[in-house]
Amino acid sequence: MSKQELKVLGRSDDVGACCSGLLTAPLDEDQAAELAKVFKALGDPVRLRLLSMIASRAGGEVCVCDLTPAFDLSQPTISHHLKLLRQAGLIDCERRGTWVYYWLVPEMTDRLAGILTRPAGEPLPARTAPAGAAS
Amino acid sequence: MSKQELKVLGRSDDVGACCSGLLTAPLDEDQAAELAKVFKALGDPVRLRLLSMIASRAGGEVCVCDLTPAFDLSQPTISHHLKLLRQAGLIDCERRGTWVYYWLVPEMTDRLAGILTRPAGEPLPARTAPAGAAS
DNA sequence: CACTTGCATTGATGACTGTCGATGCAAGAT
DNA sequence: ATCTTGCATCGACAGTCATCAATGCAAGTG
């Protein structure tokens, strides 16, 4: 339940590896394609809420049966969104008896946060009085 | 060129304000919908590459004429992607003579990075030996 | 003025996505 | 074994999206 499924991310090193930041050097096509899959998984309000419910849960994991009733959506739809989040490497899950529990993969959110963080003390080219503006 | 267009984000306070983190408390529907628009804008490889090209540019801004030839896509398509990034609040632009220049809005990427960052020294509920596993 | 160049907008189209009901499957209960 | 419950998968359908060619518009050039 936790290790089959097409591993969307990384062909080899996966989560921990890769690129410093999107803001410091132009992404190449492969990096961009890989990253886009993760951001696309975050690009839906239902999945964002699911992720935040899972991530903020004391104890670190949530049973699907606690997630589904929080939405005005069918159970297959929630299951589908959870699958996408898992394929993006943002969460993982495990069956335990009758129930399935999900938890956050913090390495992935850490990686995204790092990618979106600009190196401290950047020049920050004073975007206020654009040089030769059309005056 | 820089201030019309439907302001996708914030109804009032916009970028700087809002929520602490997606990882600490469940997002409500409005926050999730708002955030999802920004992540959706990042969920495309072309837009990610555009953003990284703009953000990493020395001088802080890029002319569209420098961006378009870097892709195997038509000029209207690039223009469309730039529009989406701008509507998401990630970049802004200005016409200067014949050319249009784009630059990063670092407040937005900062905000996203913050949202994806978990509070330091979190319990990190030892996901290794799942309690009552199906043994 | 007409002509050219840089970029945005429009309209069309094929591909993808979110959603559902129906179904399948695993595991505990009887 | 049969029934029930929890969740995933399947197939279908409507809505959204990425892309293009055609066109429009702004601004510099002759």
Side-chain angles (χ1 to χ4, degrees):
Chain A
M1 176 68 75
S2 298
K3 40 173 126 51
Q4 71 277 50
E5 286 296 337
L6 63 150
K7 293 287 286 183
V8 160
L9 261 216
R11 5 197 144 286
S12 53
D13 37 23
D14 224 23
V15 168
C18 179
C19 43
S20 48
L22 174 157
L23 308 179
T24 55
L27 245 37
D28 70 55
E29 287 190 54
D30 288 340
Q31 294 172 328
E34 193 183 333
L35 250 186
K37 288 176 188 166
V38 186
F39 281 125
K40 192 176 299 182
L42 293 175
D44 180 279
V46 173
R47 289 194 290 271
L48 275 182
R49 290 180 59 204
L50 281 168
L51 187 68
S52 74
M53 291 176 67
I54 294 171
S56 65
R57 186 64 153 222
E61 37 182 50
V62 195
C63 175
V64 176
C65 60
D66 288 332
L67 295 172
T68 306
F71 295 85
D72 207 26
L73 293 170
S74 71
Q75 173 268 318
T77 298
I78 299 298
S79 188
H80 173 241
H81 284 304
L82 288 171
K83 181 178 182 177
L84 292 186
L85 285 172
R86 189 155 55 89
Q87 290 181 337
L90 287 159
I91 60 177
D92 202 356
C93 68
E94 177 182 78
R95 177 167 215 123
R96 208 170 303 152
T98 309
W99 297 277
V100 176
Y101 293 86
Y102 280 81
W103 59 86
L104 180 73
V105 176
E107 290 82 6
M108 184 56 81
T109 50
D110 286 352
R111 178 186 167 196
L112 294 183
I115 283 175
L116 289 169
T117 299
R118 46 188 169 143
E122 204 64 350
L124 219 309
R127 277 236 45 81
T128 31
S135 55
Chain B
M1 179 65 76
S2 298
K3 42 174 123 51
Q4 70 277 49
E5 285 296 337
L6 65 152
K7 294 288 284 182
V8 159
L9 261 216
R11 6 192 144 291
S12 54
D13 36 24
D14 224 20
V15 166
C18 178
C19 41
S20 48
L22 176 157
L23 308 179
T24 55
L27 245 36
D28 69 55
E29 287 189 54
D30 289 339
Q31 293 173 328
E34 193 183 333
L35 249 186
K37 288 177 189 166
V38 185
F39 281 125
K40 191 176 301 183
L42 293 174
D44 180 280
V46 174
R47 288 194 291 270
L48 275 182
R49 288 181 61 204
L50 281 169
L51 187 68
S52 74
M53 290 176 69
I54 294 171
S56 65
R57 185 65 152 224
E61 38 182 49
V62 195
C63 174
V64 175
C65 59
D66 288 332
L67 295 172
T68 306
F71 295 84
D72 207 24
L73 293 170
S74 70
Q75 173 267 319
T77 298
I78 299 299
S79 188
H80 174 243
H81 284 305
L82 288 171
K83 181 178 182 177
L84 292 187
L85 286 172
R86 190 155 54 87
Q87 291 181 336
L90 286 160
I91 60 178
D92 202 356
C93 68
E94 178 181 77
R95 178 168 213 123
R96 208 171 302 154
T98 309
W99 297 277
V100 176
Y101 294 86
Y102 281 81
W103 59 86
L104 180 73
V105 176
E107 290 82 5
M108 182 59 80
T109 48
D110 286 352
R111 178 186 167 193
L112 293 183
I115 281 174
L116 289 169
T117 301
R118 47 189 166 143
E122 204 62 350
L124 219 312
R127 276 237 46 81
T128 29
S135 57

